[in-house]
Amino acid sequence: MSDIATLTFEGKSYELPVVTGTEHERAVDISRLRQDSGLITLDDGYGNTGSCQSSITFIDGEKGILRYRGYPIEELAEYSTFPEVAYLLIFGDLPSPDELAEFRAMLTEHQFIHESMRHHFEGFPPDAPPMAILSAMINTAGCFEHELVEPSNDAQFKDQAARLLAKVRTIAAASYRMSMGLPVNYPRADLSYTANLVHLMFSMPNSYGEPSPELVRALDQIFILHADHEQNCSTSTVRMVASSQANLYASVAAGVCALWGPLHGGANMAVIEMLEHIRASGEPLEKFVQKVKDDPRHTRLMGFGHRVYKNFDPRAKIIKAACHQVLSKLGLKDPLLDIAVQLEETALRDPYFIERKLYPNVDFYSGIIMRAARIPMPMFPVMFAIGRMPGWIANWREVNMNAKSRIYRPRQIYVGPTARPYVKLADRVQGR
Ligand code: ACO
């Protein structure tokens, strides 16, 4: 296998090294291309650009493979818990029982937010989008850390990673409680990470029911499935911010903003809106799918399609099964699940979706589980953000631990006006 690619341009040849990953993916290293030839590469949306070498997550979009640190997502979703997967992603290996116990104890120890942070919540209007609150409050939490971490110090980093993971969940639940005008709950020491989230969101001072184990397990699985996904929009944002040596809190707060959009973490909400629209309007599924095909820029089949998966999204398979399982265990019936299943079948029969290799992604079914857990729709992307936190933390550290790391600074091809003489204000034509 050749490890050199040759580019010929204007009669000259340039040899470009080919870099091969551990799973045999290959990339042309163009880091000297501009220096040698004056050319840059142009790749709108970065569909063909490898922005880094990473040892965290592997995806084969053609075969529908997703592995965290080498472990298949299917096995992690079945046998692990979210804190275990978070440990794996952040520190590189599955924890031993002692390591996991220590990590869980750290999550419990750090789960409270500073009391004065409650006043910050009061400043938001009741209908403020929870993703805006989450991003702002993560930066606020960073202000309460007197010493920001030295990335190469293992103990400091571990402490800060645990603090962030623990507090993010407390912040997320508090934003929901404040938006509902409900008293903010304190986390409990006797509950798991995810059971605590359910408690923080739903316990009332006069009713302290135990969270349903089925729902807790389903939410835990959702977090596991969202925990990392290599160089997606939000993770690339975290890495971009990290490359300027910004601190962990600032970097993941930026990640939350990137995740917010409906083409990324906001898609789980958009799927439910779409299914509710179909149910309320009684619109036949074929007609809805036709509308999507006629104008996909304006009406997308939300929860379908993926930049990387061109076969199936392995997370969607797991989540679809979990969805059926949790509803049946809880004895719930959600008409949106039936619509989703039929819509999926209708789309997968249609040449438009077949030709473009569009399959359900992780968001197609996750919202139905969250509805079963009574999580309000504006909080769906927040759940995604809690799940994605370990991946962001792991990527932040990878950037910081890379001795060759440079500030991320892409180039561009300028297509605006060429140089023109400045016109003083008085000389400019009115109403132009
Ligand atoms: N519905 C209808 N058509 C679609 C859809 C969709 N959901 N997704 C892609 N297409 C079409 C495009 O119109 C395009 O068609 P064309 O070749 O005729 O122009 C073709 O499929 C390729 O689509 P792109 O937009 O180029 O794919 P891209 O990789 O840029 O986008 C994305 C991927 C954003 C996920 C897209 O599929 C989409 O918008 N899906 C719906 C939103 C969604 O579910 N987002 C969640 C993604 S997963 C995640 O973030 C966790």
Side-chain angles (χ1 to χ4, degrees):
M1 228 187 263
S2 169
D3 55 3
I4 297 283
T6 308
L7 173 77
T8 307
F9 180 65
E10 291 181 340
K12 275 194 178 168
S13 285
Y14 303 93
E15 293 202 328
L16 304 166
V18 172
V19 178
T20 305
T22 51
E23 292 283 354
H24 316 296
E25 299 161 296
R26 297 197 292 167
V28 178
D29 177 352
I30 51 106
S31 49
R32 287 183 54 87
L33 182 64
R34 184 171 179 278
Q35 198 176 325
D36 294 348
S37 69
L39 290 168
I40 62 167
T41 55
L42 180 62
D43 183 19
D44 244 347
Y46 306 130
N48 295 289
T49 296
S51 61
C52 60
Q53 296 190 48
S54 175
S55 55
I56 304 170
T57 287
F58 171 68
I59 301 176
D60 183 330
E62 270 70 37
K63 295 190 184 135
I65 291 173
L66 169 61
R67 295 189 205 121
Y68 298 160
R69 304 276 190 189
Y71 295 102
I73 190 65
E74 292 79 5
E75 290 178 46
L76 292 169
E78 184 160 358
Y79 303 119
S80 277
T81 58
F82 179 60
E84 216 179 330
V85 169
Y87 189 102
L88 168 70
L89 283 166
I90 296 171
F91 305 112
D93 279 311
L94 282 169
S96 69
D98 283 352
E99 286 166 337
L100 183 59
E102 184 209 29
F103 190 54
R104 281 185 189 281
M106 290 174 84
L107 292 177
T108 303
E109 183 191 341
H110 295 309
Q111 62 189 349
F112 288 88
I113 52 174
H114 197 285
E115 274 299 301
S116 67
M117 274 180 71
R118 288 177 179 238
H119 303 301
H120 291 254
F121 283 106
E122 286 159 14
F124 293 103
D127 56 354
M131 288 295 263
I133 301 179
L134 183 66
S135 175
M137 293 305 276
I138 287 173
N139 259 323
T140 308
C143 301
F144 287 90
E145 299 287 328
H146 295 302
E147 281 180 39
L148 288 170
V149 70
E150 167 52 47
S152 59
N153 181 322
D154 287 346
Q156 266 188 20
F157 171 69
K158 191 177 202 175
D159 182 72
Q160 192 148 80
R163 280 171 190 270
L164 181 56
L165 270 180
K167 290 186 199 309
V168 151
R169 181 209 46 197
T170 309
I171 290 170
S175 72
Y176 166 66
R177 299 288 292 194
M178 296 297 282
S179 73
M180 300 298 289
L182 294 168
V184 172
N185 287 318
Y186 286 108
R188 283 166 52 182
D190 61 320
L191 292 179
S192 71
Y193 185 91
T194 304
N196 237 320
L197 173 71
V198 177
H199 151 70
L200 285 166
M201 285 188 72
F202 299 115
S203 287
M204 297 301 280
N206 55 354
S207 71
Y208 234 59
E210 289 305 308
S212 138
E214 286 81 13
L215 270 181
V216 169
R217 180 64 193 141
L219 289 177
D220 208 62
Q221 272 194 333
I222 289 187
F223 290 155
I224 292 171
L225 296 177
H226 286 84
D228 195 40
H229 213 235
E230 51 123 293
Q231 302 313 314
N232 57 84
C233 176
S234 56
T235 302
S236 300
T237 301
V238 170
R239 288 186 82 111
M240 169 77 80
V241 179
S243 78
S244 76
Q245 297 183 353
N247 69 66
L248 178 61
Y249 289 80
S251 304
V252 304
V256 170
C257 293
L259 186 69
W260 190 355
L263 295 189
H264 193 13
N268 49 20
M269 239 171 100
V271 169
I272 297 296
E273 281 164 358
M274 172 185 77
L275 296 174
E276 273 180 343
H277 158 81
I278 293 172
R279 181 175 64 152
S281 66
E283 188 172 7
L285 294 174
E286 284 74 11
K287 200 169 158 206
F288 179 77
V289 167
Q290 190 57 48
K291 227 162 56 185
V292 169
K293 294 191 302 183
D294 289 345
D295 191 6
R297 286 198 76 78
H298 292 106
T299 314
R300 293 222 141 182
L301 184 47
M302 299 310 286
F304 252 70
H306 198 276
R307 171 63 60 83
V308 180
Y309 294 119
K310 299 299 170 198
N311 183 327
F312 64 92
D313 178 341
R315 303 167 302 170
K317 269 193 175 177
I318 301 170
I319 246 172
K320 182 180 178 183
C323 204
H324 283 289
Q325 214 171 30
V326 75
L327 291 192
S328 105
K329 274 192 185 155
L330 296 174
L332 296 174
K333 182 124 186 64
D334 187 340
L336 296 195
L337 178 58
D338 297 334
I339 297 175
V341 170
Q342 287 165 31
L343 185 56
E344 179 189 350
E345 285 167 5
T346 310
L348 292 181
R349 278 196 305 268
D350 193 296
Y352 174 94
F353 293 88
I354 297 170
E355 281 157 19
R356 288 168 181 75
K357 300 187 175 167
L358 301 171
Y359 293 86
N361 59 48
V362 68
D363 292 315
F364 197 68
Y365 286 101
S366 63
I368 295 175
I369 296 184
M370 290 195 262
R371 267 163 66 91
R374 292 189 295 132
I375 290 166
M377 230 170 17
M379 289 293 288
F380 287 8
V382 172
M383 297 296 124
F384 192 153
I386 296 174
R388 185 54 54 90
M389 204 53 63
W392 289 339
I393 296 171
N395 275 277
W396 180 85
R397 190 162 207 228
E398 200 170 65
V399 171
N400 277 282
M401 293 299 283
N402 178 1
K404 291 190 188 152
S405 198
R406 302 166 75 195
I407 190 162
Y408 281 24
R409 199 337 187 153
R411 296 247 173 200
Q412 64 167 21
I413 294 293
Y414 176 71
V415 292
T418 52
R420 45 183 172 164
Y422 181 79
V423 182
K424 289 188 182 152
L425 184 60
D427 300 333
R428 285 176 224 158
V429 181
Q430 286 292 3
R432 181 163 49 94

